[in-house]
Amino acid sequence: MDTRAKIIKGAAELFTKYGVRSVTMDDIARELSISKKTIYQYFKDKDEIVLMAVQSHAENEKEDYNYIFNRSRNPIEELTLMTRCMRDDFRDMNPSLIFDLQKYHPQAWKVIEDFKNSYIKNALVKNLRDGIQQGLYRENMDPEVLAIMRLEQVQLAFDSRLFPPDKFNLADTQLQFLSHYVNGIVTEKGRELYLEYLDKLELHQTKTTYNNEI
């Protein structure tokens, strides 16, 4: 890994853990055991680091989800693997991260919004349509409406006014929302298959073990 990539990776880890606003250039330099001068040789300011970190995250997410889409044998298996991937993403994420990006880093936030409203939405719509065709999801649904609702569910959990971090765990809240979503779309056949996959894939595993599953 070259120095530029190392800085992006290290900064991203700090942003995820502490939020963006509270992390300074000094914090990044200290975490990576390099000088602040070295960081400025590669990036003009913190905003550029944030943008690069978010872009890198979006590309990594695409790789993870593309792997899931290419290997899943049915929409339920796809949804189960997406469930665990999402759980892993949110496990150590500071809830303030989304607020910080929205308020202080509009370019980075646009990357997230574009990723959500195009790539993720399209994936959800396809999953819903395939599930309906295979009798795993209810027929009387509009995939576009349900996909948008699901995207907004994810974002809602980051609202500290509704879910203050001292009272609600982000990952647990997200999984509660997901459980509500799944139980609202599956047929009895789909629910049985979903529960079967949950038991089989053991959600305590991490997404680094995907290659050894099933």
Side-chain angles (χ1 to χ4, degrees), residues 13-26:
E13 291 173 353
L14 289 174
F15 298 150
T16 299
K17 187 174 182 179
Y18 300 109
V20 178
R21 193 181 184 194
S22 64
V23 175
T24 65
M25 296 293 264
D26 287 318

Side-chain angles (χ1 to χ4, degrees), residues 137-160:
Y137 299 159
R138 296 187 298 106
E139 292 184 356
N140 57 334
M141 297 189 303
D142 184 328
E144 290 277 343
V145 172
L146 269 293
I148 293 171
M149 183 198 76
R150 177 67 193 126
L151 291 172
E152 293 307 307
Q153 274 187 335
V154 171
Q155 190 148 327
L156 184 64
F158 286 95
D159 191 332
S160 60

Side-chain angles (χ1 to χ4, degrees), residues 27 53 57 61 70 73 79 89 91 93 111 134 142-143 156 163 170-171 184 188 212:
D27 292 330
H57 175 74
E61 288 289 281
N70 291 332
R73 292 168 292 191
L79 186 61
D89 286 340
R91 178 188 288 138
M93 184 181 291
V111 171
Q134 296 176 33
D142 184 328
L156 184 64
F163 301 100
L170 177 61
E188 190 57 38
N212 299 319

